Protein backbone atom coordinates (compact mmCIF):
# COMPACT_ATOMS: atom_id res chain seq x y z
CA UNK A 1 0.00 0.00 0.00
CA UNK A 2 1.20 3.50 -0.87
CA UNK A 3 0.32 6.97 0.37
CA UNK A 4 0.15 9.72 -2.25
CA UNK A 5 0.68 13.28 -1.01
CA UNK A 6 -1.27 15.52 -3.37
CA UNK A 7 -3.62 18.46 -3.62
CA UNK A 8 -6.73 18.11 -5.77
CA UNK A 9 -5.62 20.51 -8.51
CA UNK A 10 -2.02 19.25 -8.81
CA UNK A 11 -1.84 17.95 -12.41
CA UNK A 12 1.23 15.82 -11.70
CA UNK A 13 -0.47 14.10 -8.76
CA UNK A 14 -3.41 13.46 -11.08
CA UNK A 15 -1.09 11.87 -13.64
CA UNK A 16 0.29 9.55 -10.91
CA UNK A 17 -3.22 8.73 -9.60
CA UNK A 18 -4.31 7.72 -13.11
CA UNK A 19 -1.25 5.52 -13.64
CA UNK A 20 -1.59 3.82 -10.24
CA UNK A 21 -5.29 3.17 -10.89
CA UNK A 22 -4.68 1.81 -14.40
CA UNK A 23 -2.02 -0.53 -13.00
CA UNK A 24 -4.21 -1.49 -10.00
CA UNK A 25 -1.59 -0.38 -7.49
CA UNK A 26 -3.41 0.30 -4.19
CA UNK A 27 -2.90 3.74 -2.65
CA UNK A 28 -4.50 6.22 -0.28
CA UNK A 29 -4.52 9.98 -0.70
CA UNK A 30 -3.00 12.42 1.77
CA UNK A 31 -3.67 16.14 1.32
CA UNK A 32 -0.55 18.33 1.07
CA UNK A 33 -0.35 22.02 0.19
CA UNK A 34 3.20 22.76 -1.00
CA UNK A 35 2.79 26.49 -0.29
CA UNK A 36 2.45 25.80 3.47
CA UNK A 37 5.75 25.70 5.33
CA UNK A 38 4.72 22.99 7.82
CA UNK A 39 3.88 20.24 5.30
CA UNK A 40 5.73 16.91 5.71
CA UNK A 41 6.44 16.86 1.96
CA UNK A 42 9.17 19.48 2.46
CA UNK A 43 11.12 16.89 4.43
CA UNK A 44 10.30 14.08 2.00
CA UNK A 45 11.05 15.83 -1.30
CA UNK A 46 14.06 18.06 -2.01
CA UNK A 47 11.94 19.66 -4.74
CA UNK A 48 9.29 20.60 -2.10
CA UNK A 49 6.35 19.74 -4.29
CA UNK A 50 3.67 17.18 -4.95
CA UNK A 51 3.39 14.35 -5.85
CA UNK A 52 5.25 12.43 -3.17
CA UNK A 53 4.57 8.71 -2.95
CA UNK A 54 5.49 6.96 0.28
CA UNK A 55 5.34 3.22 0.82
CA UNK A 56 3.41 2.49 3.99
CA UNK A 57 6.38 0.83 5.68
CA UNK A 58 8.03 4.27 5.41
CA UNK A 59 11.14 2.72 3.80
CA UNK A 60 10.66 3.99 0.25
CA UNK A 61 9.72 7.47 -0.91
CA UNK A 62 9.36 8.24 -4.61
CA UNK A 63 9.13 11.76 -6.03
CA UNK A 64 8.83 13.42 -9.44
CA UNK A 65 5.80 12.28 -11.40
CA UNK A 66 7.80 10.91 -14.32
CA UNK A 67 10.25 9.00 -12.09
CA UNK A 68 7.21 7.52 -10.28
CA UNK A 69 5.51 6.50 -13.54
CA UNK A 70 8.73 4.94 -14.90
CA UNK A 71 9.16 3.04 -11.60
CA UNK A 72 5.74 1.39 -11.88
CA UNK A 73 6.27 0.79 -15.60
CA UNK A 74 9.33 -1.25 -14.61
CA UNK A 75 7.85 -3.06 -11.62
CA UNK A 76 4.24 -3.76 -12.69
CA UNK A 77 3.54 -5.96 -15.70
CA UNK A 78 -0.10 -4.90 -15.87
CA UNK A 79 -1.23 -2.22 -18.37
CA UNK A 80 2.05 -1.10 -19.94
CA UNK A 81 1.82 2.66 -20.53
CA UNK A 82 5.18 3.18 -22.28
CA UNK A 83 4.68 0.38 -24.80
CA UNK A 84 6.45 -0.74 -27.94
CA UNK A 85 9.86 -0.24 -29.52
CA UNK A 86 12.49 2.23 -28.33
CA UNK A 87 11.24 4.67 -31.01
CA UNK A 88 7.62 4.25 -29.88
CA UNK A 89 8.68 4.74 -26.27
CA UNK A 90 10.59 7.90 -27.23
CA UNK A 91 7.38 9.23 -28.78
CA UNK A 92 5.39 8.51 -25.58
CA UNK A 93 8.06 10.28 -23.52
CA UNK A 94 8.30 13.23 -25.94
CA UNK A 95 4.56 13.88 -25.72
CA UNK A 96 4.42 13.29 -21.98
CA UNK A 97 7.14 15.95 -21.58
CA UNK A 98 5.28 18.26 -23.98
CA UNK A 99 2.20 18.14 -21.73
CA UNK A 100 4.12 18.09 -18.42
CA UNK A 101 6.41 20.98 -19.41
CA UNK A 102 4.80 23.05 -22.15
CA UNK A 103 1.06 22.68 -21.62
CA UNK A 104 1.70 23.02 -17.88
CA UNK A 105 4.04 26.01 -18.25
CA UNK A 106 1.94 27.79 -20.88
CA UNK A 107 -1.47 27.27 -19.29
CA UNK A 108 -1.98 25.13 -16.16
CA UNK A 109 0.69 26.88 -14.09
CA UNK A 110 -0.71 30.33 -14.96
CA UNK A 111 -4.29 29.32 -14.14
CA UNK A 112 -3.24 27.72 -10.85
CA UNK A 113 -1.50 30.94 -9.91
CA UNK A 114 -4.23 33.32 -11.09
CA UNK A 115 -7.30 31.33 -10.01
CA UNK A 116 -6.09 29.19 -7.11
CA UNK A 117 -3.05 30.70 -5.40
CA UNK A 118 -4.27 34.30 -5.68
CA UNK A 119 -7.63 33.28 -4.23
CA UNK A 120 -6.52 30.94 -1.46
CA UNK A 121 -3.13 32.33 -0.45
CA UNK A 122 -2.55 35.86 -1.74
CA UNK A 123 -6.16 37.11 -1.54
CA UNK A 124 -5.85 38.92 -4.86
CA UNK A 125 -7.96 39.03 -8.02
CA UNK A 126 -6.81 37.24 -11.15
CA UNK A 127 -5.19 39.32 -13.85
CA UNK A 128 -7.42 39.34 -16.91
CA UNK A 129 -4.59 39.89 -19.44
CA UNK A 130 -2.80 36.80 -18.13
CA UNK A 131 -6.02 34.78 -18.33
CA UNK A 132 -6.57 35.91 -21.94
CA UNK A 133 -3.00 34.95 -22.86
CA UNK A 134 -3.48 31.52 -21.25
CA UNK A 135 -6.73 31.05 -23.19
CA UNK A 136 -4.94 31.82 -26.48
CA UNK A 137 -2.19 29.31 -25.70
CA UNK A 138 -4.79 26.72 -24.66
CA UNK A 139 -6.26 26.92 -28.18
CA UNK A 140 -2.81 26.27 -29.69
CA UNK A 141 -2.34 23.21 -27.51
CA UNK A 142 -5.86 21.98 -28.33
CA UNK A 143 -5.05 22.41 -32.04
CA UNK A 144 -2.10 20.09 -31.57
CA UNK A 145 -4.28 17.60 -29.64
CA UNK A 146 -6.79 17.73 -32.52
CA UNK A 147 -4.00 16.91 -34.96
CA UNK A 148 -2.78 13.96 -32.88
CA UNK A 149 -6.32 12.58 -32.48
CA UNK A 150 -7.05 13.01 -36.21
CA UNK A 151 -3.89 11.13 -37.20
CA UNK A 152 -3.56 8.39 -34.58
CA UNK A 153 -5.68 6.00 -32.59
CA UNK A 154 -4.31 7.43 -29.32
CA UNK A 155 -2.08 10.46 -28.76
CA UNK A 156 1.28 8.68 -29.09
CA UNK A 157 0.20 6.05 -31.65
CA UNK A 158 -1.78 2.84 -31.86
CA UNK A 159 -1.86 2.21 -28.11
CA UNK A 160 -3.18 4.06 -25.09
CA UNK A 161 -0.14 5.41 -23.24
CA UNK A 162 1.22 7.66 -20.54
CA UNK A 163 0.97 10.53 -23.05
CA UNK A 164 -2.86 10.27 -22.93
CA UNK A 165 -2.89 10.32 -19.13
CA UNK A 166 -0.37 13.18 -18.88
CA UNK A 167 -2.45 15.26 -21.30
CA UNK A 168 -5.77 14.39 -19.65
CA UNK A 169 -4.35 15.28 -16.21
CA UNK A 170 -3.43 18.79 -17.43
CA UNK A 171 -6.71 19.23 -19.35
CA UNK A 172 -8.76 18.19 -16.31
CA UNK A 173 -7.15 20.89 -14.12
CA UNK A 174 -7.52 23.53 -16.83
CA UNK A 175 -11.17 22.49 -17.24
CA UNK A 176 -11.78 22.63 -13.47
CA UNK A 177 -10.46 26.20 -13.53
CA UNK A 178 -12.79 27.17 -16.38
CA UNK A 179 -10.03 27.45 -18.99
CA UNK A 180 -11.29 25.05 -21.68
CA UNK A 181 -13.44 26.15 -24.60
CA UNK A 182 -13.93 23.12 -26.85
CA UNK A 183 -15.44 25.02 -29.79
CA UNK A 184 -13.44 24.20 -32.91
CA UNK A 185 -11.75 21.27 -31.13
CA UNK A 186 -14.22 18.43 -31.69
CA UNK A 187 -11.46 15.84 -32.09
CA UNK A 188 -9.70 16.71 -28.84
CA UNK A 189 -13.07 16.98 -27.10
CA UNK A 190 -14.03 13.46 -28.23
CA UNK A 191 -10.71 12.11 -26.97
CA UNK A 192 -11.16 13.84 -23.57
CA UNK A 193 -14.68 12.40 -23.18
CA UNK A 194 -13.23 8.92 -23.72
CA UNK A 195 -10.50 9.57 -21.13
CA UNK A 196 -13.04 10.97 -18.63
CA UNK A 197 -15.16 7.82 -18.98
CA UNK A 198 -12.38 5.48 -17.85
CA UNK A 199 -12.85 4.02 -14.35
CA UNK A 200 -9.41 5.40 -13.38
CA UNK A 201 -10.72 8.93 -14.02
CA UNK A 202 -13.86 8.74 -11.85
CA UNK A 203 -12.13 9.58 -8.53
CA UNK A 204 -10.50 12.69 -10.06
CA UNK A 205 -13.86 14.03 -11.16
CA UNK A 206 -15.08 13.85 -7.56
CA UNK A 207 -12.09 15.56 -5.93
CA UNK A 208 -12.84 19.15 -4.97
CA UNK A 209 -10.35 21.87 -4.16
CA UNK A 210 -11.55 23.64 -1.01
CA UNK A 211 -12.62 27.21 -1.78
CA UNK A 212 -12.61 26.67 -5.57
CA UNK A 213 -15.88 25.32 -6.96
CA UNK A 214 -15.71 23.37 -10.22
CA UNK A 215 -17.94 24.42 -13.12
CA UNK A 216 -21.04 22.24 -13.47
CA UNK A 217 -19.89 20.47 -16.66
CA UNK A 218 -16.55 19.47 -15.13
CA UNK A 219 -17.60 16.09 -13.70
CA UNK A 220 -20.07 15.23 -16.47
CA UNK A 221 -18.50 12.51 -18.63
CA UNK A 222 -20.81 13.43 -21.51
CA UNK A 223 -19.99 17.15 -21.48
CA UNK B 1 25.31 9.54 -37.51
CA UNK B 2 23.07 12.09 -35.82
CA UNK B 3 22.71 15.85 -36.06
CA UNK B 4 22.11 17.71 -32.79
CA UNK B 5 20.39 21.10 -33.06
CA UNK B 6 21.60 23.15 -30.10
CA UNK B 7 22.90 26.51 -28.98
CA UNK B 8 26.04 26.64 -26.85
CA UNK B 9 24.33 27.72 -23.62
CA UNK B 10 21.35 25.33 -23.83
CA UNK B 11 21.77 23.14 -20.71
CA UNK B 12 19.53 20.39 -22.10
CA UNK B 13 21.55 20.16 -25.32
CA UNK B 14 24.65 19.93 -23.13
CA UNK B 15 23.08 17.04 -21.19
CA UNK B 16 22.41 15.23 -24.49
CA UNK B 17 25.93 15.96 -25.81
CA UNK B 18 27.45 14.47 -22.65
CA UNK B 19 25.30 11.33 -22.88
CA UNK B 20 26.02 10.81 -26.58
CA UNK B 21 29.76 11.24 -25.96
CA UNK B 22 29.79 8.89 -22.97
CA UNK B 23 27.97 6.27 -25.05
CA UNK B 24 30.21 6.90 -28.09
CA UNK B 25 27.26 7.73 -30.33
CA UNK B 26 28.61 9.82 -33.25
CA UNK B 27 26.95 13.19 -33.83
CA UNK B 28 27.55 16.59 -35.39
CA UNK B 29 26.36 19.89 -33.99
CA UNK B 30 24.03 22.27 -35.80
CA UNK B 31 23.45 25.75 -34.34
CA UNK B 32 19.80 26.66 -33.67
CA UNK B 33 18.47 29.70 -31.85
CA UNK B 34 14.92 28.91 -30.66
CA UNK B 35 14.06 32.62 -30.36
CA UNK B 36 14.46 33.11 -34.14
CA UNK B 37 11.29 32.41 -36.11
CA UNK B 38 13.04 30.97 -39.18
CA UNK B 39 14.83 28.08 -37.44
CA UNK B 40 14.14 24.56 -38.80
CA UNK B 41 13.65 23.28 -35.23
CA UNK B 42 10.21 24.91 -35.15
CA UNK B 43 9.12 22.45 -37.83
CA UNK B 44 10.90 19.51 -36.19
CA UNK B 45 9.77 19.98 -32.58
CA UNK B 46 6.24 20.83 -31.44
CA UNK B 47 7.84 22.27 -28.28
CA UNK B 48 9.91 24.68 -30.45
CA UNK B 49 13.08 24.26 -28.44
CA UNK B 50 16.48 22.64 -28.36
CA UNK B 51 17.70 19.92 -28.22
CA UNK B 52 16.44 18.28 -31.41
CA UNK B 53 18.28 15.18 -32.58
CA UNK B 54 17.83 14.16 -36.20
CA UNK B 55 19.17 10.95 -37.71
CA UNK B 56 21.08 11.78 -40.85
CA UNK B 57 18.74 9.74 -43.06
CA UNK B 58 16.07 12.25 -41.97
CA UNK B 59 13.72 9.42 -40.98
CA UNK B 60 13.93 9.77 -37.20
CA UNK B 61 13.72 12.93 -35.11
CA UNK B 62 13.98 12.76 -31.32
CA UNK B 63 13.13 15.66 -29.02
CA UNK B 64 13.01 16.36 -25.28
CA UNK B 65 16.34 15.77 -23.55
CA UNK B 66 15.01 13.12 -21.17
CA UNK B 67 13.24 11.17 -23.96
CA UNK B 68 16.50 11.29 -25.96
CA UNK B 69 18.59 10.04 -23.01
CA UNK B 70 16.12 7.23 -22.26
CA UNK B 71 16.18 6.23 -25.96
CA UNK B 72 19.96 5.77 -25.96
CA UNK B 73 19.83 4.07 -22.57
CA UNK B 74 17.54 1.49 -24.21
CA UNK B 75 19.39 1.13 -27.51
CA UNK B 76 23.09 1.38 -26.50
CA UNK B 77 24.60 -1.19 -24.16
CA UNK B 78 27.69 0.91 -23.55
CA UNK B 79 27.99 3.03 -20.37
CA UNK B 80 24.61 2.58 -18.70
CA UNK B 81 23.63 5.90 -17.12
CA UNK B 82 20.38 4.82 -15.45
CA UNK B 83 21.87 1.76 -13.76
CA UNK B 84 20.70 -0.68 -11.12
CA UNK B 85 17.39 -1.74 -9.61
CA UNK B 86 14.05 -0.02 -10.22
CA UNK B 87 14.55 1.88 -6.94
CA UNK B 88 18.06 2.98 -7.97
CA UNK B 89 16.74 4.04 -11.37
CA UNK B 90 13.94 6.05 -9.70
CA UNK B 91 16.62 7.87 -7.69
CA UNK B 92 18.58 8.71 -10.88
CA UNK B 93 15.40 10.01 -12.51
CA UNK B 94 14.32 11.96 -9.40
CA UNK B 95 17.63 13.82 -9.27
CA UNK B 96 17.77 14.33 -13.02
CA UNK B 97 14.34 15.97 -12.84
CA UNK B 98 15.44 18.03 -9.82
CA UNK B 99 18.30 19.51 -11.88
CA UNK B 100 16.36 19.73 -15.17
CA UNK B 101 13.30 21.36 -13.56
CA UNK B 102 14.26 23.03 -10.30
CA UNK B 103 17.89 24.05 -10.73
CA UNK B 104 17.01 25.14 -14.28
CA UNK B 105 13.86 27.00 -13.23
CA UNK B 106 15.37 28.60 -10.12
CA UNK B 107 18.69 29.65 -11.64
CA UNK B 108 19.74 28.71 -15.19
CA UNK B 109 16.56 29.99 -16.84
CA UNK B 110 16.80 33.34 -15.03
CA UNK B 111 20.48 33.81 -15.93
CA UNK B 112 19.86 32.87 -19.56
CA UNK B 113 17.13 35.51 -19.69
CA UNK B 114 19.00 38.24 -17.81
CA UNK B 115 22.50 37.71 -19.23
CA UNK B 116 21.93 36.15 -22.66
CA UNK B 117 18.49 36.98 -24.03
CA UNK B 118 18.49 40.57 -22.76
CA UNK B 119 21.93 41.11 -24.27
CA UNK B 120 21.50 39.36 -27.61
CA UNK B 121 17.81 39.81 -28.37
CA UNK B 122 16.17 42.47 -26.21
CA UNK B 123 19.18 44.83 -25.93
CA UNK B 124 18.45 45.50 -22.26
CA UNK B 125 20.57 45.45 -19.11
CA UNK B 126 20.18 42.61 -16.62
CA UNK B 127 18.10 43.27 -13.52
CA UNK B 128 20.34 43.19 -10.47
CA UNK B 129 17.59 42.12 -8.02
CA UNK B 130 16.84 39.07 -10.18
CA UNK B 131 20.54 38.22 -10.36
CA UNK B 132 20.85 38.45 -6.58
CA UNK B 133 17.83 36.19 -6.11
CA UNK B 134 19.32 33.65 -8.55
CA UNK B 135 22.62 33.75 -6.65
CA UNK B 136 20.82 33.01 -3.36
CA UNK B 137 19.00 30.05 -4.90
CA UNK B 138 22.26 28.81 -6.46
CA UNK B 139 23.73 28.53 -2.97
CA UNK B 140 20.76 26.43 -1.83
CA UNK B 141 21.21 24.07 -4.77
CA UNK B 142 24.97 23.87 -4.14
CA UNK B 143 24.23 23.03 -0.49
CA UNK B 144 22.17 20.07 -1.70
CA UNK B 145 24.95 19.03 -4.12
CA UNK B 146 27.42 19.20 -1.19
CA UNK B 147 25.15 16.91 0.82
CA UNK B 148 24.87 14.39 -2.02
CA UNK B 149 28.64 14.39 -2.61
CA UNK B 150 29.36 14.02 1.12
CA UNK B 151 27.03 11.04 1.43
CA UNK B 152 27.48 9.13 -1.81
CA UNK B 153 30.18 8.16 -4.30
CA UNK B 154 28.26 9.89 -7.13
CA UNK B 155 25.16 12.07 -6.95
CA UNK B 156 22.58 9.28 -7.25
CA UNK B 157 24.55 6.55 -5.46
CA UNK B 158 27.49 4.23 -6.03
CA UNK B 159 27.60 4.68 -9.79
CA UNK B 160 28.12 7.59 -12.13
CA UNK B 161 24.71 8.32 -13.70
CA UNK B 162 22.58 10.63 -15.76
CA UNK B 163 22.00 12.66 -12.57
CA UNK B 164 25.68 13.70 -12.58
CA UNK B 165 25.52 14.76 -16.23
CA UNK B 166 22.21 16.62 -15.83
CA UNK B 167 23.60 18.54 -12.84
CA UNK B 168 26.95 19.26 -14.52
CA UNK B 169 25.17 20.52 -17.65
CA UNK B 170 23.22 23.09 -15.60
CA UNK B 171 26.25 24.04 -13.48
CA UNK B 172 28.38 24.57 -16.59
CA UNK B 173 25.91 27.06 -18.05
CA UNK B 174 25.52 28.88 -14.73
CA UNK B 175 29.33 29.01 -14.44
CA UNK B 176 29.68 30.33 -18.01
CA UNK B 177 27.29 33.12 -17.06
CA UNK B 178 29.30 34.01 -13.95
CA UNK B 179 26.73 32.66 -11.50
CA UNK B 180 28.80 30.18 -9.49
CA UNK B 181 30.62 31.12 -6.29
CA UNK B 182 32.17 27.93 -4.89
CA UNK B 183 33.10 29.37 -1.49
CA UNK B 184 31.61 27.14 1.20
CA UNK B 185 30.88 24.41 -1.37
CA UNK B 186 34.16 22.47 -1.47
CA UNK B 187 32.41 19.12 -1.91
CA UNK B 188 30.32 20.20 -4.88
CA UNK B 189 33.35 22.00 -6.31
CA UNK B 190 35.44 18.82 -6.12
CA UNK B 191 32.69 16.85 -7.85
CA UNK B 192 32.41 19.46 -10.63
CA UNK B 193 36.18 19.41 -11.24
CA UNK B 194 35.94 15.64 -11.71
CA UNK B 195 33.05 16.04 -14.15
CA UNK B 196 34.90 18.80 -16.07
CA UNK B 197 37.93 16.51 -16.47
CA UNK B 198 36.01 13.79 -18.30
CA UNK B 199 36.77 13.55 -22.04
CA UNK B 200 33.03 13.96 -22.77
CA UNK B 201 33.15 17.40 -21.15
CA UNK B 202 36.08 18.83 -23.15
CA UNK B 203 34.01 19.91 -26.20
CA UNK B 204 31.55 21.80 -23.97
CA UNK B 205 34.34 23.82 -22.42
CA UNK B 206 35.39 25.00 -25.89
CA UNK B 207 31.93 26.02 -27.14
CA UNK B 208 31.42 29.77 -27.09
CA UNK B 209 28.17 31.67 -27.24
CA UNK B 210 28.59 34.49 -29.74
CA UNK B 211 28.48 37.86 -28.00
CA UNK B 212 28.82 36.37 -24.50
CA UNK B 213 32.43 35.85 -23.39
CA UNK B 214 33.02 33.14 -20.77
CA UNK B 215 34.92 34.05 -17.59
CA UNK B 216 38.58 32.98 -17.69
CA UNK B 217 38.20 30.15 -15.13
CA UNK B 218 35.29 28.55 -17.02
CA UNK B 219 37.32 26.24 -19.27
CA UNK B 220 40.08 25.52 -16.72
CA UNK B 221 39.54 21.98 -15.43
CA UNK B 222 41.56 22.78 -12.29
CA UNK B 223 39.59 25.92 -11.39
Amino acid sequence: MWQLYHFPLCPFSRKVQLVLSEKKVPFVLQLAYPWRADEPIHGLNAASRTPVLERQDGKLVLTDSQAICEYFEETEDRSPLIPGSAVARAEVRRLTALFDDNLYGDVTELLLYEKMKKRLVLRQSPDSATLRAAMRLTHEHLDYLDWLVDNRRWLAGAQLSLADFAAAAQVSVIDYLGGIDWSGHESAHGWYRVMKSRPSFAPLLKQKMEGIPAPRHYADVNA
Side-chain angles (χ1 to χ4, degrees), chain A:
Chain A
M1 177 66 89
W2 296 81
Q3 177 159 272
L4 178 66
Y5 293 83
H6 85 125
F7 64 94
L9 290 179
C10 169
F12 303 104
S13 303
R14 287 179 168 233
K15 175 185 163 197
V16 168
Q17 282 190 65
L18 290 168
V19 167
L20 294 177
S21 297
E22 290 286 332
K23 291 181 177 286
K24 313 271 188 236
V25 175
F27 66 99
V28 291
L29 292 170
Q30 174 66 43
L31 268 183
Y33 297 121
W35 53 89
R36 291 192 188 158
D38 59 348
E39 290 284 353
I41 56 161
H42 300 300
L44 293 171
N45 182 5
S48 280
R49 61 183 180 187
T50 49
V52 172
L53 192 64
E54 187 177 25
R55 207 168 57 192
Q56 262 191 341
D57 64 8
K59 291 186 179 155
L60 181 58
V61 175
L62 301 174
T63 67
D64 180 69
S65 77
Q66 190 60 19
I68 293 171
C69 293
E70 297 271 1
Y71 174 84
F72 287 102
E73 190 68 11
E74 293 181 1
T75 55
E76 297 288 333
D77 291 334
R78 200 195 299 251
S79 307
L81 294 177
I82 311 179
S85 66
V87 170
R89 289 161 63 87
E91 179 65 358
V92 172
R93 292 190 178 109
R94 170 185 83 83
L95 286 171
T96 300
L98 186 73
F99 304 125
D100 283 358
D101 294 354
N102 298 67
L103 179 52
Y104 174 73
D106 286 346
V107 181
T108 322
E109 187 176 24
L110 302 186
L111 290 185
L112 284 172
Y113 183 77
E114 294 295 331
K115 294 196 155 189
M116 183 191 74
K117 198 162 180 195
K118 280 193 172 175
R119 184 154 178 174
L120 301 183
V121 185
L122 306 171
R123 310 282 170 188
Q124 295 170 1
S125 302
D127 176 69
S128 54
T130 304
L131 294 180
R132 276 196 305 275
M135 195 60 113
R136 245 190 337 268
L137 288 167
T138 306
H139 276 297
E140 289 182 24
H141 283 281
L142 292 179
D143 283 341
Y144 191 63
L145 276 182
D146 286 334
W147 183 87
L148 292 171
V149 173
D150 288 344
N151 286 278
R152 301 167 169 190
R153 170 118 179 65
W154 295 96
L155 297 188
Q159 286 181 264
L160 176 71
S161 79
L162 184 57
D164 297 278
F165 293 103
Q170 298 292 332
V171 168
S172 72
V173 174
I174 299 167
D175 192 34
Y176 189 111
L177 294 171
I180 299 274
D181 169 10
W182 290 114
S183 24
H185 303 291
E186 280 65 34
S187 300
H189 193 185
W191 161 84
Y192 185 57
R193 271 195 294 247
V194 170
M195 295 304 291
K196 253 175 145 176
S197 307
R198 295 186 70 82
S200 63
F201 226 89
L204 269 61
L205 297 177
K206 291 194 201 101
Q207 290 163 21
K208 302 271 180 266
M209 186 78 198
E210 215 187 313
I212 318 252
R216 189 185 300 219
H217 70 267
Y218 165 75
D220 180 353
V221 295
N222 299 311

Short mmCIF file of all heavy atoms in Angstrom, two decimals, chain A residues 117-125:
data_model
loop_
_atom_site.label_atom_id
_atom_site.label_comp_id
_atom_site.label_asym_id
_atom_site.label_seq_id
_atom_site.Cartn_x
_atom_site.Cartn_y
_atom_site.Cartn_z
N LYS A 117 -3.95 30.13 -6.41
CA LYS A 117 -3.05 30.70 -5.40
C LYS A 117 -3.46 32.12 -5.01
O LYS A 117 -3.46 32.48 -3.83
CB LYS A 117 -1.60 30.67 -5.89
CG LYS A 117 -0.62 30.83 -4.75
CD LYS A 117 0.78 30.39 -5.09
CE LYS A 117 1.68 30.60 -3.87
NZ LYS A 117 3.11 30.53 -4.20
N LYS A 118 -3.85 32.93 -6.01
CA LYS A 118 -4.27 34.30 -5.68
C LYS A 118 -5.52 34.29 -4.79
O LYS A 118 -5.65 35.12 -3.89
CB LYS A 118 -4.54 35.09 -6.96
CG LYS A 118 -3.27 35.63 -7.62
CD LYS A 118 -3.61 36.66 -8.69
CE LYS A 118 -2.37 37.35 -9.22
NZ LYS A 118 -2.71 38.26 -10.34
N ARG A 119 -6.40 33.33 -5.02
CA ARG A 119 -7.63 33.28 -4.23
C ARG A 119 -7.39 32.74 -2.83
O ARG A 119 -7.84 33.30 -1.84
CB ARG A 119 -8.63 32.38 -4.96
CG ARG A 119 -9.99 32.30 -4.30
CD ARG A 119 -10.97 31.95 -5.39
NE ARG A 119 -12.32 31.80 -4.93
CZ ARG A 119 -13.33 31.61 -5.77
NH1 ARG A 119 -13.12 31.57 -7.08
NH2 ARG A 119 -14.55 31.48 -5.32
N LEU A 120 -6.65 31.63 -2.74
CA LEU A 120 -6.52 30.94 -1.46
C LEU A 120 -5.39 31.49 -0.59
O LEU A 120 -5.48 31.46 0.63
CB LEU A 120 -6.26 29.44 -1.67
CG LEU A 120 -7.32 28.65 -2.46
CD1 LEU A 120 -6.94 27.19 -2.50
CD2 LEU A 120 -8.70 28.83 -1.83
N VAL A 121 -4.32 31.97 -1.22
CA VAL A 121 -3.13 32.33 -0.45
C VAL A 121 -2.90 33.84 -0.45
O VAL A 121 -2.70 34.46 0.58
CB VAL A 121 -1.87 31.61 -1.00
CG1 VAL A 121 -0.66 31.89 -0.12
CG2 VAL A 121 -2.11 30.10 -1.12
N LEU A 122 -2.93 34.45 -1.63
CA LEU A 122 -2.55 35.86 -1.74
C LEU A 122 -3.72 36.82 -1.58
O LEU A 122 -3.51 38.01 -1.39
CB LEU A 122 -1.87 36.11 -3.10
CG LEU A 122 -0.69 35.19 -3.44
CD1 LEU A 122 -0.24 35.37 -4.89
CD2 LEU A 122 0.49 35.46 -2.50
N ARG A 123 -4.94 36.28 -1.67
CA ARG A 123 -6.16 37.11 -1.54
C ARG A 123 -6.15 38.26 -2.54
O ARG A 123 -6.33 39.42 -2.19
CB ARG A 123 -6.33 37.66 -0.11
CG ARG A 123 -6.19 36.62 0.98
CD ARG A 123 -7.45 35.79 1.13
NE ARG A 123 -7.23 34.65 2.01
CZ ARG A 123 -8.09 33.68 2.20
NH1 ARG A 123 -9.25 33.67 1.56
NH2 ARG A 123 -7.82 32.67 2.99
N GLN A 124 -5.84 37.92 -3.79
CA GLN A 124 -5.85 38.92 -4.86
C GLN A 124 -6.81 38.46 -5.96
O GLN A 124 -7.18 37.29 -6.02
CB GLN A 124 -4.45 39.06 -5.48
CG GLN A 124 -3.39 39.59 -4.53
CD GLN A 124 -1.98 39.49 -5.12
OE1 GLN A 124 -1.82 39.04 -6.25
NE2 GLN A 124 -1.00 39.91 -4.36
N SER A 125 -7.15 39.39 -6.86
CA SER A 125 -7.96 39.03 -8.02
C SER A 125 -7.07 38.56 -9.15
O SER A 125 -5.94 39.01 -9.28
CB SER A 125 -8.75 40.26 -8.51
OG SER A 125 -9.56 40.75 -7.49
#
